[in-house]
Structure formats: C-alpha cells, structure tokens
C-alpha cells in the first residue's frame, strides 16, 4: 500500500520525455526552453508532471511545460485565489 504522504509517480513512465536526454529539460535560460516545452505540449501526463513539480517546489528544469519562473507565477496566482 502506498503511504498517503507519497505521490503516485506511475505517470512518469507514460511521459513524452521518458527516455529522452534529460539535458533538454534543463536549459541554461528560459529562452532555451522551447524544445522541452514542445515535447511537453503533446504529453498525456503534462498536468500530473506540472502538479508534481509545483508540490515539490522544483527549482530547476521544465516540468509540465513550465519553467521555474512560470511555476512560481502559478503558485503565486493560486495563493491569491485560495
């Protein structure tokens, strides 16, 4: 049985990025994130990936089609509407 505090990570095996070079998803600048975002765009688990990154406060990389800056903006917007 899974502990309630742990997240189900089975979505990761269904991710469009599964098996791709991880470096693509850790660009030097936000401007270089387009390649990663294109992969995320057609991904069936994009939402789960983004929620995982938001919950863990991932600092680096593109997760769920969003850069760190974009994820911080989402967190701020959710705080305002909560």
């Amino acid at each position: 049985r899974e502990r309630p505090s742990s997240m189900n990570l089975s979505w990761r095996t269904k991710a469009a990025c599964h098996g791709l070079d991880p470096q693509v998803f850790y660009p030097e600048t936000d401007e270089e994130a387009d390649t990663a975002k294109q992969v995320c765009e057609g991904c069936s688990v994009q939402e789960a990936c983004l929620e995982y990154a938001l919950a863990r406060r991932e600092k680096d990389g593109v997760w769920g089609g969003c850069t760190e800056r974009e994820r911080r903006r989402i967190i701020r917007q959710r705080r305002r509407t909560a």
Side-chain angles (χ1 to χ4, degrees):
R1 251 180 80 173
E2 200 171 339
R3 294 190 328 267
S5 62
S6 67
M7 296 184 88
N8 181 348
L9 300 178
S10 63
W11 57 267
R12 294 183 350 174
T13 60
K14 299 178 189 107
C17 63
H18 190 72
L20 296 181
D21 181 0
Q23 285 307 110
V24 170
F25 299 91
Y26 293 92
E28 292 293 318
T29 66
D30 284 2
E31 289 73 32
E32 295 171 12
D34 287 346
T35 303
K37 287 180 169 193
Q38 286 171 0
V39 173
C40 297
E41 210 171 90
C43 183
S44 64
V45 296
Q46 180 179 2
E47 191 175 328
C49 179
L50 177 57
E51 290 304 323
Y52 172 83
L54 292 171
R56 294 203 50 208
R57 300 290 197 263
E58 282 291 342
K59 295 284 185 224
D60 299 310
V62 174
W63 291 80
C66 294
T67 62
E68 185 208 352
R69 180 179 291 141
E70 292 165 333
R71 290 192 303 275
R72 283 196 316 257
R73 190 177 308 130
I74 291 168
I75 290 168
R76 281 194 308 272
Q77 287 170 344
R78 287 183 180 180
R79 278 194 198 126
R80 277 189 225 119
T81 60

